[in-house]
Amino acid sequence: MAEPITKIRLTAGDGAVAEVSAHGGQVVGWVPTGAGGKERLFLSPLAAGGPGASIRGGVPVIFPQFGPMGPLPKHGLARNREWQVAEAAGGRARLVLESSAETRGIWPHDFLAELVVEVSGAALAVELRITNTGREVFSFTAALHTYLRVAEATVARVAGLQGARYLDEVTMTEHTDDAEEVSFGTEVDRIYYAVGESPLRLVEGGRVVEITEAGFDDVVVWNPGPVVGGKFADLEPEGWREFVCVEAAAVGRPVVLGPGEVWAGRQRLAAG
Ligand code: TA6
């Protein structure tokens, strides 16, 4: 049943704010300092939590399967489960999700997922750590499915992907991006491979968010546009105009973890 989202507010010493939800282990709000006190993440007014629900907006955690690319439910099992809040103080929180009999019924592996959120000044850093707590090797794909708030998606641009190879998930064809910037207006759903640590920029008018990642190889850029965007029950009809997803992702090369091994992937946003 859909339930309202319970937000835990983190406030850094310098006044920067992030909000997290135990449901989904998800960042749901971010107000950096020096940006006019404006919210920089999109959270749909129709977003809901509660058992089984995934929250439309913020930074959903995609694990252990990205999208429909495998036998598990779309985008895995982390985004619609209750996480534990292990720490939440000042501008930092750590949330954890451990495998259970219930998750093993869906994905037969033992894991510890940790999300470390740090907000300060102009920046928000989100780190996903996965530990193999079982006795067998497993592999997974993952993403931080960040919904960046924009005033108008058709004006926003994502720069920094020129020359990168991508899978267009709308047509299921591969390309090399020869454009200087990615723009929006019709459905854009692309997995850019092996982007690594090159910085990206979401630019809209005078506003910029610089996006960097570490540990993740790939970047997913998504905006549903008006036709697909109009079909989501948890998005207002014109809601697609209010966000662009720029996701730190590990999709092209699944992560392989032996018993006791730990993987970490991080996305950092800096508002300008
Ligand atoms: O990351 C892009 C994507 O995989 C798109 O294909 C789109 O479906 C989006 O995620 C949202 O998926 P959701 O299951 O949250 O509706």
Side-chain angles (χ1 to χ4, degrees):
M1 208 190 69
E3 290 173 10
I5 300 162
T6 306
K7 299 175 183 174
I8 301 162
R9 192 177 166 89
L10 308 172
T11 307
D14 58 20
V17 170
E19 290 175 320
V20 296
S21 156
H23 185 77
Q26 192 160 335
V27 178
V28 289
W30 170 44
V31 181
T33 57
K38 292 245 169 72
E39 175 59 57
R40 302 305 287 267
L41 294 177
F42 170 78
L43 179 64
S44 172
L46 304 181
S54 44
I55 298 172
R56 175 79 57 203
V59 186
V61 176
I62 308 303
F63 169 82
Q65 175 187 294
F66 181 81
M69 298 168 169
L72 304 186
K74 185 179 176 197
H75 285 327
L77 52 74
R79 66 174 178 162
N80 48 17
R81 281 187 168 61
E82 279 312 295
W83 292 49
Q84 304 300 316
V85 181
E87 297 166 39
R92 186 177 194 275
R94 188 168 66 88
L95 291 88
V96 300
L97 176 71
E98 285 186 79
S99 51
S100 62
E102 191 262 333
T103 64
R104 281 190 292 274
I106 299 168
W107 191 56
H109 300 290
D110 284 310
F111 67 86
L112 169 68
E114 295 169 276
L115 193 84
V116 178
V117 179
E118 287 172 317
V119 67
S120 117
L124 174 72
V126 183
E127 181 169 284
L128 177 65
R129 287 185 207 148
I130 305 296
T131 305
N132 181 343
T133 53
R135 294 182 178 174
E136 283 157 26
V137 175
F138 63 63
S139 72
F140 64 87
T141 51
L144 295 171
H145 196 302
T146 307
Y147 285 75
L148 293 159
R149 176 171 284 282
V150 294
E152 171 54 55
T154 58
V155 174
R157 304 278 184 269
V158 174
L161 291 163
Q162 193 172 32
R165 187 171 61 88
Y166 70 89
L167 173 67
D168 184 330
E169 286 208 276
V170 179
T171 57
M172 292 311 280
T173 50
E174 285 205 3
H175 305 267
T176 297
D177 200 345
D178 54 13
E180 249 175 62
E181 298 173 324
V182 185
S183 55
F184 306 91
T186 56
E187 184 183 12
V188 173
D189 193 353
R190 300 177 179 179
I191 302 170
Y192 284 87
Y193 296 113
V195 175
E197 299 190 7
S198 355
L200 309 181
R201 286 159 65 84
L202 172 70
V203 184
E204 189 197 15
R207 293 206 318 178
V208 177
V209 179
E210 183 156 308
I211 306 151
T212 45
E213 63 184 40
F216 289 104
D217 278 349
D218 311 320
V219 169
V220 177
V221 179
W222 179 61
N223 175 280
V227 178
V228 175
K231 295 181 185 160
F232 290 97
D234 56 0
L235 205 54
E236 292 176 323
E238 296 293 311
W240 67 274
R241 293 184 184 278
E242 296 176 34
F243 68 88
V244 166
C245 285
V246 181
E247 311 167 30
V251 179
R253 260 187 329 131
V255 179
V256 180
L257 273 191
E261 288 183 342
V262 184
W263 168 89
R266 185 178 171 92
Q267 187 186 51
R268 183 176 186 276
L269 309 174

